[in-house]
Amino acid sequence: MSLFDHVLSLGDNALILGQQLSALTGHGPVLEEDIATANIALDLVGEARLWLSLAGEIEGAGRSEDDLAFLRDEIDFRNVLLVEQPNGDFADTMARQFLFDAWHEALLAALCASADPRIAGIAGKCRKEALYHLSHSAGWVIRLGDGTAFSHDRMQQAVRNLWPYTGELFEADAGGTALIGANAGDIRPLWRQRVADTLARAALEVPADRWMQGGGRRGIHSEHMGRLLAEMQHIPRSHPGARW
Amino acid sequence: MYAQMVDTGVQRVLDAAELEGDERRFQDRIDAGIRVEPEDWMPESYRRTLVRQISQHAHSEVVGMLPEGNWITRAPSLLRKATLLAKVQDEGGHGLYLYAAAETLGVSRDDLIDALHAGKAKYSSIFNYPTLTWADIGAIGWLVDGAAIINQIPLCRCSYGPYGRAMVRVCKEESFHQRQGYDIMTRLAQGSEAQRRMAQDALNRWWWPAVMMFGPPDGESVHSAQSAAWRIKLHSNDDLRQRFIDQTVPQAELIGLTIPDADLRWNEERGHYDIGPIDWEEFYSVVRGDGPCNRERLAARKSAWDRGAWVRDAAAAHAAKHAGEQK
């Protein structure tokens, strides 16, 4: 993976998850969660803008954040499959968010030490937000896991269903991760510890590692991705060259 | 407005001279510009009217998240997506302050939400219109938030302390919303032919519903007179409407859009714009529940609430298990 692809991947993860959460605005289980969800979506879209702008700068072909978000085809998106999994119900949304946040915060923390000051700067800013996201989603994993019998089963099933998408977070990159200054594999123990601790407090089992899904970072996505991009991209693509 | 045609429950407004005891002292304090706070004595009709008005306002903020939320996933640039998310988040926040302000009057948020879902509580008629294109997001910010500010700035000085203080913060945010809406419209109006058409179409569809937001002429309404005496309504519907029209018409002209009213004229003598007849039949039918999206909006709110019941139950069960534990 080139530096451009690495930075694109950071931007695409934030963009796709932000897009997914933004679809939930106004439909949450309680008003406070509508506000939280919109706020987290806003943080992620903000993060995506920073990474995609930097990716455009690194590429040097004059592509803006919007060109990269709205005018790329699915095969050129570098996000992990986890973030494109459907919103489902509140347990599915929160399980996805927690598994992501526990990794995202650790990755950003590692990137704060990047030799590239642009990367370290963005990581430093976004890590503060990611800490809040993690505290919020872990809180819900615990509340639902340790709530009623129904919520426990829903959360356990959601974690099980999403587990096969967690392996991709730690795939070693051909071409080296030294480019951005964080090694995906080094983050794994911290992520694993966070997940084990939170699931234990939630009275939930950590699923067994079996076959892990992958491909998102190489542009091979799930069936959900095409519709997500169609919705997100259709206006800019319907009005080529228009400014908004 | 966000609270329209609020019933005060009174048959006739009494003169100060006709009031006695607590009621007289209450009215004297209001007339002297002293704020009413939750712990103060207040007439039951004042309390009930405020609950209606504030809860209608809160419901409007929350239902209002739906038509705009409809476009977050399709916002045409990342900056517009972020701005719209921030705006809709603000509206949720306004709903929260307002429910909290209503709760100071001895009602619970859950009861108010139940009343909304049961069709007993109203919310602003404006949110029963559909958002069909991206330009509708511009039109809502410019016109609907613009109208809301005109209504709400006087309410910052209303007689009930918690409501007035909530309005101060709400108005600051609404002002930002209004500007982002006008900015969207400006960009569209200066854009391609298709973008200009989108902007004009949105203005055509949103203009009259925005003008109607202020409610019917209220000169003869006993409820308006009582609300005015209590200083929870500081200007008449028509005065506020005129202010909105006078402010908005030049803004439309500036960006080359046409207000969809053949009778619109500047009246030199009055120093105001005159407008054509308002179709109050349309307004009343939307208020009755027969607007284009009444059923969808209420169904969406109820569905979110019902689908979230197990989540709220789980949170309560978890909290109960750990009540008394040190953090």
Side-chain angles (χ1 to χ4, degrees):
Chain A
M1 255 182 151
S2 65
L3 181 60
F4 170 68
D5 278 330
H6 271 296
V7 173
L8 210 49
S9 160
L10 293 164
D12 288 347
N13 285 331
L15 175 61
I16 301 303
L17 189 54
Q19 173 74 5
Q20 298 256 57
L21 292 177
S22 70
L24 295 171
T25 313
H27 302 280
V30 68
L31 184 52
E32 283 82 347
E33 279 310 302
D34 272 332
I35 297 171
T37 303
N39 193 255
I40 294 165
L42 179 57
D43 286 345
L44 290 169
V45 171
E47 180 182 341
R49 296 183 62 203
L50 296 170
W51 292 126
L52 293 180
S53 295
L54 176 58
E57 190 185 316
I58 290 165
E59 185 189 39
R63 286 203 280 181
S64 68
E65 60 183 49
D66 286 333
D67 293 337
L68 289 170
F70 295 102
L71 303 179
R72 264 183 306 153
D73 291 336
E74 182 174 327
I75 197 170
D76 295 319
F77 273 78
R78 294 279 169 265
N79 58 283
V80 292
L81 298 177
L82 177 64
V83 296
E84 65 195 59
Q85 298 311 301
N87 286 332
D89 69 9
F90 193 71
D92 298 315
T93 301
M94 280 302 138
R96 181 186 66 196
Q97 194 68 36
F98 170 67
L99 295 170
F100 177 82
D101 291 340
W103 168 78
H104 185 220
E105 193 281 331
L107 175 65
L108 292 172
L111 290 175
C112 287
S114 169
D116 186 327
R118 299 170 300 181
I119 291 175
I122 296 172
K125 177 191 177 295
C126 298
R127 185 197 173 193
K128 290 180 203 138
E129 296 166 348
L131 268 172
Y132 283 108
H133 303 171
L134 175 59
S135 144
H136 174 258
S137 60
W140 275 109
V141 169
I142 293 167
R143 264 178 231 120
L144 296 182
D146 182 46
T148 62
F150 181 83
S151 71
H152 173 87
D153 292 351
R154 277 303 311 127
M155 185 44 93
Q156 184 69 69
Q157 193 57 50
V159 171
R160 258 188 225 128
N161 291 345
L162 290 167
W163 199 253
Y165 299 101
T166 58
E168 193 185 12
L169 301 172
F170 308 104
E171 271 177 16
D173 298 305
T177 45
L179 280 171
I180 57 167
N183 188 343
D186 294 345
I187 294 162
R188 188 165 205 158
L190 174 57
W191 178 84
R192 185 85 200 185
Q193 189 61 46
R194 282 177 168 170
V195 170
D197 289 350
T198 300
L199 293 190
R201 287 185 63 197
L204 296 167
E205 286 172 16
V206 177
D209 283 332
R210 288 197 296 270
W211 172 251
M212 290 290 178
Q213 304 289 335
R217 302 172 76 203
R218 286 174 281 118
I220 313 297
H221 293 278
S222 61
E223 288 184 350
H224 311 296
M225 187 69 173
R227 284 193 174 77
L228 185 152
L229 291 182
E231 181 172 354
M232 184 174 85
Q233 296 183 333
H234 98 263
I235 300 183
R237 286 187 182 245
S238 303
H239 300 268
R243 295 178 65 230
W244 301 95
Chain B
M1 203 52 236
Y2 277 25
Q4 294 161 331
M5 301 197 301
V6 178
D7 187 342
T8 56
V10 304
Q11 305 298 317
R12 181 172 76 85
V13 182
L14 299 179
D15 282 339
E18 297 176 80
L19 298 169
E20 290 176 357
D22 285 340
E23 296 221 9
R24 175 68 185 262
R25 279 189 291 278
F26 177 82
Q27 190 63 51
D28 286 347
R29 278 167 56 108
I30 289 198
D31 293 344
I34 300 170
R35 275 218 154 135
V36 182
E37 295 299 336
E39 63 276 17
D40 295 340
W41 184 89
M42 62 186 83
E44 185 54 20
S45 47
Y46 175 86
R47 194 189 68 80
R48 278 202 308 263
T49 302
L50 268 176
V51 169
R52 279 192 206 102
Q53 180 167 337
I54 299 173
S55 66
Q56 256 198 52
H57 193 160
H59 297 328
S60 298
E61 297 284 356
V62 171
V63 176
M65 294 171 81
L66 296 170
E68 291 181 282
N70 184 34
W71 279 90
I72 300 175
T73 56
R74 293 177 287 170
S77 74
L78 294 183
L79 176 60
R80 293 295 187 197
K81 193 188 290 291
T83 313
L84 183 56
L85 269 166
K87 177 179 194 291
V88 177
Q89 185 196 333
D90 283 350
E91 279 151 12
H94 298 173
L96 208 51
Y97 308 147
L98 287 160
Y99 283 126
E103 285 187 323
T104 65
L105 293 159
V107 290
S108 78
R109 196 207 310 181
D110 283 357
D111 289 343
L112 297 174
I113 289 173
D114 284 346
L116 172 69
H117 293 170
K120 288 182 200 152
K122 287 193 291 241
Y123 56 87
S124 178
S125 55
I126 197 75
F127 299 116
N128 291 312
Y129 289 87
T131 48
L132 303 180
T133 73
W134 170 249
D136 290 35
I137 299 307
I140 289 180
W142 173 33
L143 303 175
V144 175
D145 291 273
I149 295 168
I150 286 172
N151 183 59
Q152 289 166 14
I153 282 182
L155 288 176
C156 296
R157 294 180 285 109
C158 79
S159 64
Y160 190 58
Y163 191 32
R165 288 188 289 273
M167 281 302 112
V168 172
R169 177 150 181 191
V170 166
C171 282
K172 283 184 189 156
E173 293 179 346
E174 297 289 12
S175 156
F176 165 75
H177 299 169
Q178 195 270 348
R179 277 179 283 153
Q180 68 85 36
Y182 190 60
D183 186 63
I184 290 173
M185 290 304 259
T186 305
R187 182 57 65 84
L188 293 174
Q190 294 167 349
S192 66
E193 183 52 39
Q195 286 175 303
R196 277 197 297 281
R197 186 174 71 163
M198 205 186 280
Q200 183 62 54
D201 163 65
L203 175 57
N204 293 348
R205 285 182 289 106
W206 287 92
W207 172 254
W208 288 108
V211 166
M212 290 177 206
M213 272 176 75
F214 296 91
D218 55 6
E220 321 245 313
S221 159
V222 65
H223 301 306
S224 294
Q226 181 60 70
S227 291
W230 283 332
R231 291 183 61 80
I232 53 177
K233 182 182 180 90
L234 289 97
H235 300 284
S236 77
N237 291 350
D238 283 334
D239 283 353
L240 294 170
R241 184 175 6 256
Q242 185 72 59
R243 211 173 285 183
F244 169 75
I245 291 162
D246 291 347
Q247 169 186 302
T248 309
V249 170
Q251 292 172 346
E253 284 169 358
L254 189 66
I255 56 175
L257 295 178
T258 308
I259 301 282
D261 178 357
D263 298 324
L264 183 77
R265 301 269 184 288
W266 176 253
N267 183 326
E268 196 64 53
E269 204 172 309
R270 290 203 308 128
H272 292 294
Y273 283 95
D274 292 336
I275 63 166
I278 296 173
D279 180 2
W280 291 113
E281 271 315 299
E282 174 180 326
F283 174 78
Y284 287 117
S285 78
V286 175
V287 170
R288 269 198 315 269
D290 296 328
C293 298
N294 294 59
R295 285 166 190 79
E296 288 92 330
R297 297 289 184 248
L298 205 53
R301 284 308 320 154
K302 277 160 80 170
S303 161
W305 187 250
D306 294 344
R307 281 182 292 110
W310 68 271
V311 176
R312 296 189 301 276
D313 289 347
H318 172 74
K321 281 184 204 175
H322 299 275
E325 276 176 25
Q326 289 287 327
K327 267 209 145 182

